[in-house]
Amino acid sequence: MIAASVAVLALLASTAQAGKRGLAWPWYNGSLDPGKLNNGQGVTVAIYDWETYAPPSTNGNGGLGFIGTQATLDSSSSPVAQLASRQAAQGWATVFSLNEPDINGISPSTAASWYKEYINPLAIKKAFPAVTSSASSGQGLDWLQQFIDACGATDICYGDYINLHWYGTSFTDFQNHVIAAHNQFSQWNIVITEFALTNPSGGQSAQIAFFEEAFAWLDAQSYVTLYFPFVATSPALLAEYDSGAVSSVGTGSCLYNNDGSVSAVGQLMF
């Protein structure tokens, strides 16, 4: 009886953490294999690349569900006019929309009009624009509230998730931010598509301790659907192509080593 109870508890624990983890996959990852972070146990399930084209890699999507992202109003790499056709051709089940419009000069009203025109018509799961964790007026959750208000009460913006980015200095601050977002926007589930500590003095060890605590907590929150630690690349590639990220986050949160193997942080994805 005791053994059976332990087995049930283990199954429940496994079920609670299955299916929420994903890879934030930069455009310069052509030499890496996302399949290395997919052990077939259904824990890591998704991948996105801030674009609407398939992830560049040595192994396609690595057996993960690709989520197309129209990160800007329009771009040459992800033309908004091709959004619907790319979704149809590739068969995404979910779409992410604007990337940090709250700090990139896109007003809530402009975003709402754009969202209704291009995101609303897609008959799949949808995430509202991804906002930063800035507490400044007109940014972060304040921008998101203004966006939802601009969508209107009748001709609304259809969405399944709010989309959060967070960079900071402690798990407690991260937890408080996610809880605050849930309390303010409780009618929607949450996806967290970028998060990490900001360049901690402990480097990789500090990021591991943070992610261990964060993953366990996120797995237990029924309103969190997906989360993507920053970032699914190697230190060398991040340093070569995204010096800004190295300055603000460091390379300790990378999920790969420079030889393409899974890093100590990446091991947490299993």
Side-chain angles (χ1 to χ4, degrees), residues 80-99:
V80 72
Q82 295 180 22
L83 173 61
S85 61
R86 288 189 181 189
Q87 184 278 320
Q90 298 175 43
W92 329 320
T94 303
V95 63
F96 293 158
S97 58
L98 301 173
N99 185 69

Side-chain angles (χ1 to χ4, degrees), residues 165-251:
H165 289 179
W166 180 90
Y167 295 97
T169 59
S170 73
F171 167 71
T172 299
D173 287 348
F174 171 72
Q175 182 183 47
N176 288 340
H177 181 69
V178 176
I179 291 172
H182 172 59
N183 288 341
Q184 185 172 352
F185 304 101
S186 59
Q187 61 268 55
W188 295 282
N189 276 11
I190 294 175
V191 294
I192 304 165
T193 52
E194 293 182 26
F195 70 111
L197 295 178
T198 49
N199 219 352
S201 59
Q204 186 186 66
S205 295
Q207 297 284 14
I208 288 173
F210 166 71
F211 284 132
E212 284 179 333
E213 198 166 10
F215 286 11
W217 181 75
L218 292 169
D219 287 338
Q221 308 312 306
S222 61
Y223 57 83
V224 175
T225 300
L226 291 168
Y227 59 86
F228 302 74
F230 187 86
V231 58
T233 192
S234 69
L237 287 170
L238 190 67
E240 181 176 357
Y241 293 102
D242 196 345
S243 60
V246 173
S247 297
S248 60
V249 179
T251 60

Side-chain angles (χ1 to χ4, degrees), residues 93-112:
T94 303
V95 63
F96 293 158
S97 58
L98 301 173
N99 185 69
E100 301 184 346
D102 57 314
I103 59 170
N104 284 306
I106 300 175
S107 71
S109 59
T110 295

